[in-house]
Amino acid sequence: MKKITLSLLTIFSLVFSTKAQDGFEQAILGNTKDAGNLIQAYFNPGIEGSINSMNSGWYHTAKVHKKFGFDITIGLNGSFIGSEKETFNIQQALGPGSSITSTSTTASTFAGPDTPTTFTVSRTIDIGGTPQVVTADFELPGGIISDFPIKAIPTYAVQVGLGLPYKFEVMARFFPETKFGDDGGKINMFGIGLKKEITSWFGPLDKLPLHVSLLAAYTNLDVKYGFGSQTTGALTVQNGAGEFGLSAFSFQAIASLNFPIINVFGGIGYNTGNADLRMVGTYTGTFNHAGGTEQVALTPPSLEFKSSSFNTTIGARISLGFFKLFGSYSLQDYNTVNAGIAFSFR
């Protein structure tokens, strides 16, 4: 089985490569609704954590650059996963009358321990004109939290800020399209933000080292991973692929005290975001019954995820000329730590 080296921004690529090929895609042996409920419960903490992580680290000062001044920032965010989100209740996730059952009461989420859970799918299909109950077993893989030194969903970005007239500053962050694997896997990310300093709105405050700004930012992440083809087992796949898209929005009111070496900053605001997860390709399930086996064409579910929360951030920055070293912590739905370096001019 192929694996991808774990890197900061290929977190979902890891899922598509290792977890899908380990059997996660076999959840679609259940009907579309039940399979969707199971996959949604598994992925929720990872995707919600990523939305929170993507919305962090946009600033390390409220002061904007002078016109055409600029900075280059390299930052790392990590959104922490609470222990209560490492597993999910199977009955609550699937609901009564589900086609998917398990002897276990809980299962690991994407952000949980690497402990697989066995499920059984039951379907009633027409065989030779007679309705018959057919079954198939599959194993839901465990989570990936053990792959990280701390229980946090990481994201990484290079960001550039440029000063504009009228106390505006535009920011762009990016991770260039990167291909991986042998089945067309790729990942890319970009974001754009706009900061407007409003210190002068408060009269005498513009004579102090205090700066106040408003910030709006948007980030987009796209990941695709090819499962390739699988010709054996309960689920066979032709040209299978997973596609994941995430959009995150952040709106902040921020302030900073800028001294020659130390800069203390903070902000309050609102973060929101959504994501979608799709599986494409041709999927066929092989089910067991009293007379042998039966093959059934399967339709993978398309899922949508959302996360929104207010947030409060506090941080500090050390300035050594044009070189900056900063860190911050945000209280939000998934508390997030941010750290990085910046090269700032004017």
Side-chain angles (χ1 to χ4, degrees):
M1 181 189 69
K2 294 173 285 187
K3 282 183 177 287
I4 300 174
T5 301
L6 178 63
S7 66
L8 296 176
L9 197 56
T10 56
I11 187 168
F12 289 101
S13 309
L14 174 74
V15 175
F16 293 143
S17 61
T18 62
K19 297 306 180 185
Q21 291 184 8
D22 279 345
F24 181 79
E25 77 275 21
Q26 295 190 28
I28 69 171
L29 288 166
N31 64 46
T32 303
K33 177 179 179 294
D34 295 334
N37 288 339
L38 185 62
I39 297 173
Q40 190 114 24
Y42 178 85
F43 271 113
N44 259 330
I47 293 179
E48 291 175 355
S50 292
I51 291 173
N52 282 258
S53 187
M54 285 284 181
N55 274 324
S56 299
W58 274 102
Y59 62 92
H60 42 84
T61 179
K63 183 180 180 180
V64 299
H65 284 292
K66 296 179 181 179
K67 186 168 63 173
F68 304 129
F70 68 95
D71 67 75
I72 300 172
T73 300
I74 301 171
L76 169 66
N77 302 323
S79 290
F80 295 98
I81 305 296
S83 57
E84 74 280 2
K85 297 182 179 180
E86 292 182 10
T87 61
F88 66 92
N89 183 286
I90 295 172
Q91 184 176 7
Q92 290 179 0
L94 294 173
S98 173
S99 63
I100 302 176
T101 59
S102 176
T103 57
S104 300
T105 57
T106 62
S108 177
T109 68
F110 166 87
D114 189 13
T115 305
T117 305
T118 300
F119 289 84
T120 298
V121 175
S122 300
R123 283 188 174 214
T124 301
I125 62 176
D126 187 88
I127 301 176
T130 303
Q132 291 194 36
V133 175
V134 297
T135 63
D137 295 330
F138 70 92
E139 198 173 70
L140 186 73
I144 68 165
I145 204 66
S146 60
D147 292 324
F148 300 110
I150 58 176
K151 296 179 179 181
I153 302 297
T155 58
Y156 160 87
V158 175
Q159 182 173 307
V160 177
L162 177 66
L164 300 176
Y166 306 109
K167 293 288 186 177
F168 279 97
E169 182 178 319
V170 64
M171 295 157 289
R173 57 169 53 172
F174 57 91
F175 186 88
E177 182 172 292
T178 302
K179 296 183 179 180
F180 56 86
D182 300 324
D183 297 307
K186 60 183 181 179
I187 180 173
N188 67 84
M189 184 270 286
F190 80 93
I192 188 166
L194 185 65
K195 183 164 63 175
K196 164 63 176 175
E197 185 167 350
I198 60 172
T199 310
S200 61
W201 293 7
F202 301 97
L205 289 183
D206 61 2
K207 305 300 181 182
L208 301 175
L210 175 67
H211 296 266
V212 182
S213 292
L214 300 176
L215 170 74
Y218 165 78
T219 309
N220 177 265
L221 170 70
D222 287 303
V223 177
K224 179 178 180 180
Y225 187 84
F227 301 148
S229 297
Q230 179 176 310
T231 58
T232 60
L235 179 73
T236 59
V237 183
Q238 292 183 341
N239 301 319
E243 298 178 350
F244 173 79
L246 181 151
S247 296
F249 305 85
S250 182
F251 309 94
Q252 307 284 328
I254 60 179
S256 64
L257 287 169
N258 294 68
F259 300 106
I261 297 178
I262 298 293
N263 171 23
V264 180
F265 62 91
I268 57 173
Y270 185 76
N271 289 337
T272 186
N274 57 76
D276 58 85
L277 178 64
R278 302 173 300 278
M279 296 169 65
V280 297
T282 302
Y283 298 82
T284 304
T286 300
F287 293 85
N288 303 310
H289 59 90
T293 61
E294 190 74 16
Q295 291 189 330
V296 179
L298 304 173
T299 302
S302 294
L303 304 177
E304 294 184 356
F305 303 81
K306 294 182 179 180
S307 177
S308 299
S309 69
F310 290 97
N311 82 318
T312 302
T313 299
I314 187 168
R317 186 184 75 177
I318 298 175
S319 298
L320 302 173
F322 63 84
F323 177 75
K324 319 291 182 182
L325 179 66
F326 62 88
S328 66
Y329 191 83
S330 297
L331 297 173
Q332 50 192 10
D333 190 19
Y334 290 72
N335 294 340
T336 303
V337 64
N338 164 255
I341 59 174
F343 302 90
S344 183
F345 304 90
R346 298 181 64 207

